[in-house]
Amino acid sequence: MNLVRIRPGTQGQRCVATVETLHRIRDTTYVEDAGRLRAGNAPRVMATPRNTAIGLLRLTGITTIAAALRHNSRNPDRPLQLFRLA
């Protein structure tokens, strides 16, 4: 469960919506809710690289995460080229 502390006068609803949007992307793209990792820190450990990948793709201007992941997974050099590392 994601807990978000909302302060009076801030845009708390936007923050909650962002967390839910990220969870929806992870669930639909990575089928996270169907995973077997439920105990301990395993779910959080697996969510961290997924969140990082989604965030990096968004920083490069990509809006369709699933299509970008499929495109980049076909060639191991593409993610490096995307971030100008190769």
Side-chain angles (χ1 to χ4, degrees):
M1 176 190 225
N2 293 323
L3 297 177
V4 178
R5 202 172 275 186
I6 301 172
R7 285 182 263 147
T10 61
Q11 294 186 5
Q13 289 186 346
R14 176 180 282 175
C15 186
V16 171
T18 302
V19 170
E20 290 302 319
T21 301
L22 183 59
H23 177 74
R24 185 185 62 77
I25 290 171
R26 281 195 334 247
D27 186 35
T28 56
T29 304
Y30 294 107
V31 194
E32 193 173 71
D33 286 346
R36 304 182 93 191
L37 299 173
R38 302 250 188 261
N41 289 326
R44 185 171 292 173
V45 168
M46 291 307 297
T48 300
R50 292 171 179 166
N51 289 342
T52 303
I54 292 167
L56 289 172
L57 289 170
R58 283 183 173 168
L59 284 174
T60 60
I62 293 172
T63 56
T64 311
I65 303 297
L69 289 173
R70 284 190 302 273
H71 177 76
N72 288 321
S73 70
R74 293 184 188 121
N75 183 341
D77 293 330
R78 283 186 187 149
L80 298 175
Q81 293 167 357
L82 182 65
F83 302 113
R84 297 183 183 115
L85 297 174

